[in-house]
Amino acid sequence: MDLPLNELPSHARPRILVVDDQTTNILLIRELFKDECEVFMALDGEQAIAQCLSLKPDLILLDLVMPGIDGFEVCRRLKTDPHTRSVPIIFVSAQREEADEVRSFELGGVDYIVKPVNRTILRARVQTHLALKFQTDLLSSIALQDGLTGVANRRKFDEALQSDWLQCARQQQPVSLLMLDVDHFKRFNDHYGHQAGDDCLRRVAQAIRLSLRRPRDLAARYGGEEFACLLPETALDGAARLAEEILQAIRALDIAHETSDAGPAVTASIGVAAIVPDGSTPPQTLIEAADRQLYQAKRAGRARVSAG
């Protein structure tokens, strides 16, 4: 059974982007969904792509024939961009040719509705595709979450790094990476036991996550007692300041660590690197640079930040 629009499992009202060169069509759709959804508009294809990137809508209602690039080209571009490819697109068009409908599905559209729109049909299909979108998002979030600590897992980190790397390359913006290792964690496990070790990792992960302020910044468990923080559009000095704040947040947990050479409580070492990506440099370069800085932090005595 489909959920009512205002009961869909989302942190906020669903966002619908309506793309049509006729404002009367947009206003009709807005009137239909305004009580349960946030409805945004775009009057041409280029505006639609820009709006989709900035708004992150949950669903797009896309006209086919528009000035400039048509709906097919808009769909093709959105489906090739990792930041927008998961947004479901319903074509809403006066074109009745079967070939147009076939092509819309081939390009990644989820539905095709012919104008003039029947309001009951439109409402039912929007409801269905929003419910599917939120269910898919929920399953995806579970699959990309570390089961112990609750932060992102390695798979999510790898996906985010690839996506942010490409976007920052296009914008010629830096990407920063923090690689963090809990100091002498094997000693901690051996001395206090694995249950205490798991609790330690959960608390450290929470401290890291709460230190991040922007929605796009990502905290992930990289492996074992190692964590990573991915910071798109962040220069080295800003990333280094954040690393120092994370160190202080971990110290403030005051988790006893009697067998550590770095202090009486649990500490961490952090390596920080930043790169402005170009077309010839792979994302792995950033990981290697942050790893080198992490090695320097450990070599210098641990419980510190090394950035470069």
Side-chain angles (χ1 to χ4, degrees), residues 21-170:
D21 60 332
Q22 300 296 318
T23 55
T24 53
N25 294 332
I26 294 175
L27 292 174
L28 284 172
I29 294 174
R30 182 182 181 278
E31 188 65 26
L32 184 60
F33 295 108
K34 68 179 183 180
D35 292 334
E36 300 131 326
C37 302
E38 292 184 77
V39 181
F40 301 88
M41 61 179 282
L43 297 173
D44 59 46
E46 295 288 356
Q47 190 180 55
I49 293 171
Q51 288 273 69
C52 192
L53 285 168
S54 63
L55 293 171
K56 302 293 190 294
D58 298 299
L59 180 70
I60 300 172
L61 297 175
L62 178 61
D63 190 18
L64 184 54
V65 179
M66 297 179 291
I69 60 174
D70 64 13
F72 288 142
E73 178 62 13
V74 172
C75 183
R76 186 193 68 77
R77 293 191 192 180
L78 292 177
K79 292 301 176 182
T80 55
D81 189 321
H83 290 92
T84 56
R85 65 168 58 130
S86 65
V87 181
I89 297 174
I90 298 177
F91 282 89
V92 183
S93 174
Q95 303 292 103
R96 295 176 176 268
E97 296 295 325
E98 184 178 290
D100 290 326
E101 186 172 353
V102 169
R103 190 179 178 198
S104 73
F105 285 112
E106 289 175 342
L107 288 170
V110 297
D111 213 332
Y112 191 97
I113 300 175
V114 176
K115 296 177 181 178
V117 172
N118 179 296
R119 294 188 176 198
T120 301
I121 291 175
L122 177 62
R123 185 176 180 81
R125 292 188 180 179
V126 165
Q127 181 177 344
T128 296
H129 290 297
L130 280 174
L132 288 171
K133 169 69 162 54
F134 287 122
Q135 290 165 6
T136 300
D137 287 349
L138 178 60
L139 290 173
S140 178
S141 69
I142 293 172
L144 298 175
Q145 186 180 73
D146 179 61
L148 175 65
T149 64
V151 297
N153 61 17
R154 177 66 179 274
R155 178 183 168 193
K156 173 63 176 177
F157 170 80
D158 290 340
E159 291 181 1
L161 176 59
Q162 183 69 30
S163 175
D164 288 336
W165 189 262
L166 292 175
Q167 181 165 338
C168 287
R170 287 194 297 268

Side-chain angles (χ1 to χ4, degrees), residues 89-299:
I89 297 174
I90 298 177
F91 282 89
V92 183
S93 174
Q95 303 292 103
R96 295 176 176 268
E97 296 295 325
E98 184 178 290
D100 290 326
E101 186 172 353
V102 169
R103 190 179 178 198
S104 73
F105 285 112
E106 289 175 342
L107 288 170
V110 297
D111 213 332
Y112 191 97
I113 300 175
V114 176
K115 296 177 181 178
V117 172
N118 179 296
R119 294 188 176 198
T120 301
I121 291 175
L122 177 62
R123 185 176 180 81
R125 292 188 180 179
V126 165
Q127 181 177 344
T128 296
H129 290 297
L130 280 174
L132 288 171
K133 169 69 162 54
F134 287 122
Q135 290 165 6
T136 300
D137 287 349
L138 178 60
L139 290 173
S140 178
S141 69
I142 293 172
L144 298 175
Q145 186 180 73
D146 179 61
L148 175 65
T149 64
V151 297
N153 61 17
R154 177 66 179 274
R155 178 183 168 193
K156 173 63 176 177
F157 170 80
D158 290 340
E159 291 181 1
L161 176 59
Q162 183 69 30
S163 175
D164 288 336
W165 189 262
L166 292 175
Q167 181 165 338
C168 287
R170 287 194 297 268
Q171 299 173 345
Q172 281 299 280
Q173 290 288 322
V175 184
S176 286
L177 177 63
L178 279 57
M179 296 298 289
L180 180 151
D181 196 71
V182 179
D183 293 325
H184 300 301
F185 186 71
K186 184 179 184 304
R187 296 183 191 177
F188 185 95
N189 260 343
D190 291 343
H191 186 73
Y192 296 101
H194 288 282
Q195 186 171 346
D198 287 349
D199 183 61
C200 173
L201 291 179
R202 280 191 287 265
R203 294 178 65 187
V204 167
Q206 180 78 347
I208 296 170
R209 187 183 64 80
L210 292 176
S211 298
L212 304 185
R213 301 182 184 87
R214 302 181 308 170
R216 282 185 63 194
D217 293 344
L218 179 74
R221 188 180 180 194
Y222 195 75
E225 68 274 18
E226 193 168 11
F227 295 87
C229 294
L230 185 62
L231 312 172
E233 298 179 28
T234 303
L236 183 65
D237 56 349
R241 285 195 298 271
L242 177 61
E244 293 287 358
E245 292 175 14
I246 291 173
L247 280 193
Q248 293 301 322
I250 293 172
R251 288 193 183 100
L253 296 173
D254 199 24
I255 303 171
H257 191 350
E258 296 176 1
T259 58
S260 174
D261 296 336
V266 166
T267 58
S269 301
I270 304 181
V272 185
I275 295 177
V276 178
D278 58 43
S280 62
T281 308
Q284 184 65 26
T285 306
L286 181 61
I287 297 175
E288 293 169 354
D291 267 335
R292 287 193 296 271
Q293 293 301 320
L294 176 57
Y295 174 76
Q296 291 298 327
K298 291 181 178 181
R299 189 177 180 183

